[in-house]
């Protein structure tokens, strides 16, 4: 008997293939742009050719090319050719400088999203005024209105801002990057992913004028009011940690998450559970479908009621793209069920992708789209089909379609029978038949009833979680620099408990409208479940290998990520087409032969290990001394690479972002990204590092030491240097606690210490030990002088006049080719005598583009220039890199893309 040809998985799912070609066209259009005048006719011509050659293999080729060209055309139309009056175009072309005061007129769109210190407002802009010149404008901006007092919040509430309100607002809009360093996500790219033109800040309620309600989307305000009411109820009834999780996971507002709780979710690889996406939409849609099914069996009515509720929820939580994407997927699948067609998940995935990419083609390059579609594809192509086939193996009985048992290894068959074989069900089925068959099952263990079902559910959850983690490995490494093996189990643990916590919280809120006594048990249950949910992950993620951070590959090595995804696609497709009941060697007839699969598995495993352990990511020692001054805004951070490859990080920047609690309340630290995490760590990961040989905390000011806390959490540290420890500063204490927790050696350095590192002499010029002449924290700064050959660098921390005078009186050599100007160019430092003694060629001032302290002072800049130095500021130049072999001196500034 001649084997039947094995069908291609794509032949039954044409939309998945066409969506892939459409996405390929978008990607090609981003790298090789063509005009619409070329792309549109070419797409039409190939489409006509496909129709003319129908029922031939040529039609597939022509159709594929037509959709690829259409993808390029859509990308060119929407991304490469924005309207001339778009806010982003106006700012990118320099028509209005970023950060200048402007007055915008527009309409509030979407919900007004509250936060602990104010609220966020989305405004669709109609016009903009700058320096008394008005112009029409378009686009969307997000504004933050600070309201840290009850009086100020009352003034904002009196303005009655809601969706549909036309407003005039005096504010400052910005699109510029806050930090110019390699590895730091460009702000414009982030805004593009969020479909925003700019962000801004409203300083006072008097800057806002309500021009009246346009009345176009008033019905939505009722939905938003329910959301706001639930937010207030959660905050009123529950502890801040519980309320923050509920507001984030149920209502889509992450601003009330506290830093500690969010950190546990991130370290455990379960933070996605707090973000409303496909998981939440599927769960909510499923619950709604079960409820509606109790009242009507008419599929059309069920579809209308469930989808109406689901889209109302989508709008209520902000209608962000991931939520819209998930709701669209659910709607397509449900509609397929309503019209009595077998719902192909793969085909629905392709349809969803096509619609979303046609709507927002630029999303293809954003992490949200990529993470969603890789994870869903892994579930659809590999997860669900594999589970279905394992069930079929374990529950097999002779049928006309499958008269013989699965052609699989005996251990796999016995394993499936252990999990899925139901003896009682088989006995009932056998009595219905006129024939009998003595089936001998040999499971590893006899599981029946609830025990079997529980084990099966847990196993299937682990399989899906593992497949998703494997598929998303390159994306989570690239975007989040995190590998979390423990998340395979924690996803199940956290998912179940957060569902229980959510139901308990909602019941408590419902009962609270009738009786606080009825609500109280459910409040306690929700808080108890919350404690249980985060306590175990909080302990497990401290074990290092269960959750750790990794750097990224750049340059040519970055192709490893794409190659890994291609190999995973090959393996996933093999799961999709695998037939465990084939009685002939059908696999050998398929495109994916067993040797191909084994080779793909081997290469994917090898590349995965290379991504995780990153043996080739870090730069090789080149015999040169590199000193890089990072742009950390109002703060200090310098990264040193010695000629032998050893590394040293001097300070880590930082910024105080703590909110003082109201009297009687527990302190609340919002989940705000730190400088150490989003700037310094990202820079180090981009450089390919996972460990730093030495860190130096020059002194306890937050803008120097706070960022080192994140560095200690994210990297292996060989040794930590401190000057004088004052013992009373919170940031310093937290840093030392983190170092002690990781058993990192601490060293106290003071004037007179010398170290030889890779041929470089490191001289410690300050602080002066017990005889220091001042108690000011800045003058406790560790001062380092690096000497390599005939070249030298002076790193001064935040020393002021007193410490400068003391170093001058000691008679040491202060001359340096490059100096880090003390205290960000403040007038409290850089005395004439000190500047004369240093005599640098370059004076680097670490300071933001707009310093809240008006640093650097023009008098100090002139003083260094008068001494013959070229003055460079990190806020304007970004990362400033110096390199020397001991004789030459090379300089490079960071220019963002």
């Amino acid at each position: 008997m001649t084997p039947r040809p094995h069908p291609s998985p794509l032949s039954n799912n044409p939309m998945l293939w066409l969506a892939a070609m459409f996405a390929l066209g978008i990607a090609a259009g981003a790298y090789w742009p063509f005009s619409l005048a070329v792309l549109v006719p070419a797409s039409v011509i190939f489409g006509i050719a496909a129709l003319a050659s129908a029922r031939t293999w040529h039609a597939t080729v022509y159709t594929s090319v037509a959709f690829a060209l259409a993808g390029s055309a859509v990308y060119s139309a929407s991304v490469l050719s924005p309207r001339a009056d778009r806010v982003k175009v106006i700012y990118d072309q320099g028509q209005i400088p970023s950060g200048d005061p402007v007055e915008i007129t527009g309409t509030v769109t979407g919900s007004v999203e509250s936060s602990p210190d104010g609220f966020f407002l989305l405004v669709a802009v109609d016009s903009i005024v700058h320096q008394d010149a008005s112009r029409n404008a378009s686009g969307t901006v997000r504004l933050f209105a600070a309201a840290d007092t009850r009086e100020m919040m009352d003034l904002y509430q009196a303005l009655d801002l809601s969706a549909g309100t036309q407003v005039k607002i005096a504010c400052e809009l910005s699109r510029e990057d806050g930090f110019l360093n390699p590895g730091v996500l460009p702000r414009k790219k982030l805004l593009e992913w969020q479909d925003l033109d700019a962000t801004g800040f409203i300083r006072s309620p008097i800057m806002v004028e309500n021009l009246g309600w346009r009345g176009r989307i008033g019905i939505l305000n009722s939905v938003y009011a329910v959301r706001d009411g639930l937010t207030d109820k959660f905050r009123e009834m529950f502890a801040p940690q519980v309320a923050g999780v509920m507001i984030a996971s149920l209502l889509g507002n992450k601003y009330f998450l506290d830093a500690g709780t969010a950190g546990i979710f991130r370290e455990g690889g379960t933070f996605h559970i707090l973000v409303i996406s496909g998981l939440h939409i599927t769960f909510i849609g499923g619950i709604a479908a079960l409820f509606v099914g109790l009242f009507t069996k008419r599929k059309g009515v069920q579809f209308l009621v469930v989808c109406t509720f689901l889209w109302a929820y989508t709008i209520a939580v902000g209608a962000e793209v991931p939520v819209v994407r998930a709701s669209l997927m659910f709607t397509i699948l449900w509609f397929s069920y309503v019209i009595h067609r077998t719902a192909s998940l793969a085909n629905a995935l392709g349809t969803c992708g096509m619609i979303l990419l046609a709507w927002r083609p630029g999303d293809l390059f954003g992490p949200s789209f990529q993470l969603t579609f890789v994870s869903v594809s892994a579930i659809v192509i590999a997860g669900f089909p594999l589970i279905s086939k394992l069930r079929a193996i374990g529950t097999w009985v002779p049928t006309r379609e499958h008269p013989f048992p699965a052609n699989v290894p005996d251990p796999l068959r016995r394993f499936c029978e252990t999990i899925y074989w139901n003896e009682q069900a088989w006995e009932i089925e056998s009595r219905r038949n006129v024939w009998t068959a003595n089936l001998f099952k040999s499971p590893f263990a006899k599981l029946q009833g609830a025990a079997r079902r529980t084990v099966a559910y847990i196993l299937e959850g682990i399989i899906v979680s593992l497949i998703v983690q494997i598929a998303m490995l390159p994306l989570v490494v690239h975007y989040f620099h995190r590998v979390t093996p423990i998340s395979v189990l924690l996803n199940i643990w956290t998912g179940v408990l957060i569902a229980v916590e959510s139901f308990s919280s909602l019941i408590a809120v419902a009962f609270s409208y009738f009786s606080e006594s009825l609500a109280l048990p459910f409040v306690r249950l929700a808080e108890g479940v919350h404690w249980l949910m985060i306590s175990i992950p909080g302990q497990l993620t401290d074990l290092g290998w269960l959750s750790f951070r990794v750097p990224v590959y750049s340059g040519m090595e970055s192709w490893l990520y794409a190659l890994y995804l291609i190999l995973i696609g090959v393996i996933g497709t093999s799961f999709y087409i695998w037939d465990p009941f084939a009685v002939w060697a059908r696999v050998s007839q398929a495109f994916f032969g067993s040797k191909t699969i084994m080779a793909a598995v081997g290469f994917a495993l090898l590349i995965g290990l290379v991504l995780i352990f990153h043996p080739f990511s870090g730069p090789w020692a080149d015999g040169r001394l590199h000193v890089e001054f990072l742009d950390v805004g109002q703060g200090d951070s310098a990264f040193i690479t010695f000629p032998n490859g050893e590394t040293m990080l001097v300070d880590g920047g930082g910024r105080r972002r703590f909110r003082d609690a109201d009297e009687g309340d527990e302190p609340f630290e919002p989940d705000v990204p730190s400088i150490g995490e989003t700037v310094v760590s990202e820079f180090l990961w981009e450089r390919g590092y996972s460990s730093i040989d030495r860190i130096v905390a020059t002194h306890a000011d937050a803008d120097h030491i706070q960022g080192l806390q994140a560095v200690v959490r994210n990297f292996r540290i060989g040794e930590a240097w401190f000057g004088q420890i004052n013992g009373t500063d919170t940031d310093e204490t937290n840093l030392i606690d983190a170092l002690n927790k990781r058993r990192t050696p601490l060293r106290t350095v003071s004037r007179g210490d010398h170290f030889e590192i890779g041929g470089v002499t490191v001289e410690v010029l300050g602080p002066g030990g017990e005889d220091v002449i001042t108690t000011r924290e800045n003058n406790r700064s560790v001062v380092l002088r690096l000497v390599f050959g005939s070249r030298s660098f002076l790193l001064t921390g935040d020393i002021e006049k007193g410490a400068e005078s003391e170093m001058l009186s000691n008679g040491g050599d202060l001359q340096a080719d490059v100096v880090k100007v003390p205290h960000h160019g403040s007038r409290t430092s850089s005395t004439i005598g000190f500047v004369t003694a240093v005599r640098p060629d370059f004076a680097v001032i670490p300071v933001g583009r707009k310093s809240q302290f008006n640093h650097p002072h023009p008098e100090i800049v002139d003083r260094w220039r008068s001494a013959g130095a070229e003055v460079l500021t990190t806020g304007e130049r970004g990362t400033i890199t110096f390199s020397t072999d001991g004789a030459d001196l090379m300089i490079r500034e960071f220019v963002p893309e």
Side-chain angles (χ1 to χ4, degrees):
M1 182 172 63
T2 303
R4 292 175 297 169
H6 198 288
S8 165
L10 297 176
S11 63
N12 296 326
N13 302 282
M15 290 304 300
L16 183 63
W17 172 251
L18 294 178
M21 296 307 300
F22 193 79
L24 182 62
I26 292 174
Y31 290 98
W32 301 289
F34 286 91
S35 69
L36 290 175
V38 175
L39 293 172
V40 174
S43 179
V44 172
I45 290 172
F46 275 97
I48 294 173
L51 292 174
S53 57
R55 299 182 181 278
T56 68
W57 65 270
H58 298 89
T60 301
V61 175
Y62 294 148
T63 303
S64 300
V65 175
F67 271 80
L69 290 170
S72 294
V74 169
Y75 181 82
S76 177
S78 64
V79 177
L80 300 180
S81 304
R83 291 175 50 176
D85 66 349
R86 283 288 297 266
V87 171
K88 63 180 181 181
V89 173
I90 293 173
Y91 276 80
D92 288 346
Q93 292 180 352
Q95 299 176 37
I96 298 178
S98 184
D100 269 19
V102 296
E103 182 180 78
I104 63 171
T105 302
T107 304
V108 177
T109 177
S111 62
V112 177
E113 196 161 35
S114 58
S115 75
D117 296 315
F119 60 90
F120 290 87
L121 205 64
L122 284 178
V123 178
V125 180
D126 295 325
S127 64
I128 186 169
V129 178
H130 176 248
Q131 295 181 350
D132 297 327
S134 178
R135 70 181 76 196
N136 293 330
S138 63
T140 303
V141 299
R142 182 175 64 190
L143 306 175
F144 175 68
D148 52 3
T149 65
R150 183 70 260 176
E151 293 77 13
M152 185 171 288
M153 181 57 75
D154 290 341
L155 291 173
Y156 275 118
Q157 290 178 348
L159 288 169
D160 192 23
L161 302 177
S162 60
T165 303
Q166 191 174 18
V167 292
K168 180 184 292 184
I169 302 175
C171 59
E172 298 171 359
L173 297 181
S174 175
R175 278 180 56 83
E176 65 184 6
D177 290 312
F179 308 100
L180 304 176
N181 303 284
V184 178
L185 180 66
R187 190 175 195 180
K188 292 180 182 178
K189 183 177 292 186
L190 179 62
L191 292 173
E192 198 71 39
W193 291 344
Q194 297 175 342
D195 200 23
L196 296 173
D197 286 72
T199 58
F201 182 77
I202 305 173
R203 298 187 178 277
S204 169
I206 64 175
M207 302 293 183
V208 183
E209 181 181 355
N210 187 331
L211 301 179
W213 184 56
R214 288 189 170 182
R216 294 185 298 178
I217 51 177
I219 191 172
L220 297 182
N221 286 321
S222 299
V223 178
Y224 297 145
V226 173
R227 182 196 190 196
D228 295 339
L230 283 174
T231 298
D232 293 338
K233 270 291 185 181
F234 282 135
R235 297 185 66 194
E236 172 189 333
M237 297 177 61
F238 298 97
Q241 292 77 14
V242 178
V245 169
M246 290 298 94
I247 294 171
S249 62
L250 294 177
L251 305 178
N253 183 340
K254 300 186 290 293
Y255 297 114
F256 291 97
L257 281 173
D258 70 287
T261 301
I264 290 175
F265 276 88
R266 286 194 180 93
E267 291 172 8
T270 58
F271 190 80
H272 61 278
I273 294 176
L274 298 181
V275 180
I276 295 180
S277 57
L279 174 68
H280 298 76
I281 294 300
T282 303
F283 178 75
I284 292 171
I287 294 295
L290 289 175
F291 181 77
V292 174
L294 298 175
F295 299 93
T296 178
K297 301 300 180 184
R298 298 178 63 181
K299 295 179 181 178
V301 175
Q302 291 179 351
F303 173 79
L304 290 176
V305 174
V306 172
C307 289
T308 298
F309 169 77
L310 192 64
W311 282 100
Y313 175 78
T314 299
I315 294 170
V317 298
E320 294 184 355
V321 174
V323 190
V324 173
R325 186 183 300 132
S327 297
L328 180 63
M329 182 74 174
F330 187 94
T331 303
I332 292 173
L333 285 172
W334 195 273
F335 183 74
S336 178
Y337 170 73
V338 168
I339 61 176
H340 304 285
R341 294 187 179 181
T342 302
S344 168
L345 288 175
N347 223 31
L349 177 66
T351 303
C352 183
M354 181 80 72
I355 294 172
L356 290 171
L357 288 176
W359 170 39
R360 292 165 51 93
D363 283 356
L364 179 65
F365 307 102
S368 176
F369 184 92
Q370 294 173 7
L371 289 166
T372 297
F373 268 80
V374 168
S375 60
V376 173
S377 298
I379 295 172
V380 169
I381 303 299
F384 286 170
L386 177 61
I387 289 174
S388 176
K389 290 162 185 177
L390 294 179
R391 286 178 180 173
I393 295 170
T395 59
W396 173 83
V397 295
T399 63
R400 177 176 297 180
E401 184 179 8
H402 296 138
F404 301 102
N407 184 20
V408 298
D410 186 62
L412 176 60
R413 179 180 57 79
R414 294 178 63 189
F415 174 77
C416 294
E417 291 169 358
T418 299
I419 303 301
Y420 294 110
W421 177 252
N422 189 333
E423 184 66 29
Q424 290 82 2
W426 163 242
E427 290 176 356
I428 295 172
E429 182 66 25
S430 62
R431 294 193 197 104
R432 298 176 180 173
N433 299 315
V434 297
W435 53 271
T436 61
N438 293 324
L439 294 177
F440 297 96
K441 299 289 183 176
S442 54
F444 292 113
K446 291 187 177 297
L447 298 175
Q448 292 298 319
R452 180 185 59 80
R453 290 192 296 272
T454 301
V455 172
Y457 291 150
I458 294 175
L459 173 68
E460 291 173 357
I462 292 175
I463 288 175
V464 171
S465 181
L466 180 61
I467 288 174
V468 170
Q469 294 300 315
I470 291 173
M472 293 203 305
L473 175 65
L475 296 179
V476 296
V477 167
H478 180 73
Y479 289 117
F480 308 115
H481 311 287
R482 191 183 295 277
V483 176
T484 52
I486 191 60
S487 65
V488 174
L489 298 177
L490 287 185
N491 276 316
I492 301 173
W493 170 268
T494 306
V496 171
L497 292 184
I498 204 170
V500 176
E501 183 181 353
S502 299
F503 277 118
S504 302
S505 301
L506 290 173
I507 293 173
V509 169
F511 282 178
S512 70
Y513 290 101
F514 305 100
S515 169
E516 292 185 1
S517 300
L518 288 175
L520 185 60
F522 292 97
V523 172
R524 295 291 179 259
L525 175 60
E527 293 179 342
V529 171
H530 178 87
W531 175 86
L532 185 64
M533 179 177 62
I534 66 173
S535 60
I536 291 181
Q539 295 296 322
L540 290 177
T541 53
D542 285 337
L543 297 183
W545 62 272
L546 294 175
S547 176
F548 54 93
R549 311 303 293 269
V550 294
V552 298
Y553 287 100
S554 57
M556 291 299 296
E557 294 89 348
S558 62
W559 284 98
L560 289 172
Y561 301 110
L563 181 57
Y564 179 91
L565 287 174
I566 293 172
L567 293 171
I568 290 298
V570 171
I571 299 168
T573 305
S574 71
F575 280 129
Y576 191 88
I577 66 176
W578 173 47
D579 183 1
F581 295 95
V583 295
W584 48 70
R586 185 183 298 178
V587 172
S588 64
Q589 309 297 324
F591 177 77
F592 300 101
S594 59
K595 291 183 179 180
T596 302
I597 296 172
M598 294 307 297
V601 170
F603 279 115
L605 178 61
L606 177 62
I607 294 175
L609 293 175
V610 171
L611 296 179
I612 293 172
F613 296 103
H614 52 86
F616 312 114
S617 64
W620 299 96
D622 60 2
R624 299 179 66 87
L625 172 65
H626 302 267
V627 180
E628 302 179 88
F629 297 96
L630 278 61
D631 175 17
V632 291
Q634 183 67 37
D636 268 25
S637 186
F639 184 64
I640 303 166
T641 307
F642 292 93
N644 63 350
E646 292 188 51
T647 54
M648 174 185 287
L649 178 67
V650 181
D651 289 331
R655 183 183 304 165
R656 293 194 179 275
R657 285 185 175 270
F658 300 99
R659 175 176 178 262
D660 295 331
D662 295 330
E663 187 175 355
D665 292 341
E666 294 182 5
F668 176 77
E669 182 184 344
D671 180 39
V672 177
S674 69
I675 299 297
E677 175 76 24
T678 59
V679 178
V680 181
S681 292
E682 290 286 354
F683 168 84
L684 295 172
W685 283 321
E686 176 71 15
R687 286 283 191 260
Y689 291 103
S690 61
S691 63
I692 307 299
D693 294 300
R694 297 167 186 84
I695 63 171
V696 180
T698 60
H699 63 298
D701 278 1
D703 60 340
H704 289 249
I705 197 173
Q706 194 180 77
L708 291 177
Q709 297 176 36
V711 173
V712 171
R713 289 195 302 267
N714 296 332
F715 298 84
R716 297 187 301 274
I717 308 300
E719 187 179 48
W721 291 7
F722 289 84
Q724 292 187 342
I725 298 175
N726 63 30
T728 60
D729 185 84
T730 301
D731 289 319
E732 186 178 70
T733 301
N734 290 339
L735 175 60
I736 292 175
D737 288 344
L739 290 165
N740 290 334
K741 188 176 183 180
R742 288 158 179 78
R743 297 185 175 88
T744 303
L746 308 182
R747 181 193 293 269
T748 301
V749 298
S750 60
R751 184 189 307 128
D753 290 338
H754 285 72
F755 304 91
E756 289 290 331
I757 306 175
V760 176
T761 300
V762 180
E763 305 172 356
V764 181
L765 305 182
E770 296 297 331
D771 60 343
V772 65
I773 63 174
T774 179
T775 58
R776 288 179 62 85
E777 184 61 40
N778 286 341
N779 283 327
R780 299 177 188 269
S781 296
V782 174
V783 179
L784 301 178
R785 183 170 182 263
L786 283 60
V787 180
F788 183 44
S790 61
R791 296 295 182 177
S792 56
F793 298 78
L794 184 62
L795 308 180
T796 60
D798 271 356
I799 59 171
E800 298 180 351
K801 297 176 181 178
E804 291 179 358
S805 176
E806 186 179 6
M807 284 191 290
L808 289 170
S809 64
N810 287 327
D813 188 0
L814 299 179
Q815 192 281 324
D817 299 288
V818 179
V819 62
K820 200 285 295 185
V821 173
H823 202 193
H824 318 287
S826 167
R827 293 183 67 184
T828 62
S829 308
S830 300
T831 59
I832 295 176
F834 182 79
V835 171
T836 303
V838 176
R839 305 185 310 279
D841 295 322
F842 297 95
V844 178
I845 305 179
V847 67
R849 217 167 310 178
K850 293 184 178 180
S851 169
Q852 59 183 320
F853 304 108
N854 296 318
H855 293 160
H857 196 280
E859 177 184 340
I860 301 303
V861 173
D862 291 341
R863 186 173 298 169
W864 286 102
R865 285 175 177 165
S866 297
E870 179 180 350
V871 178
L872 310 171
T873 62
T874 55
E876 295 178 350
R877 311 295 183 99
T879 298
I880 303 172
T881 302
F882 294 92
S883 172
T884 178
D885 62 359
D888 64 5
L889 183 63
M890 302 174 62
I891 180 174
R892 185 176 70 254
E893 301 168 2
F894 176 68
V895 179
E897 298 178 358

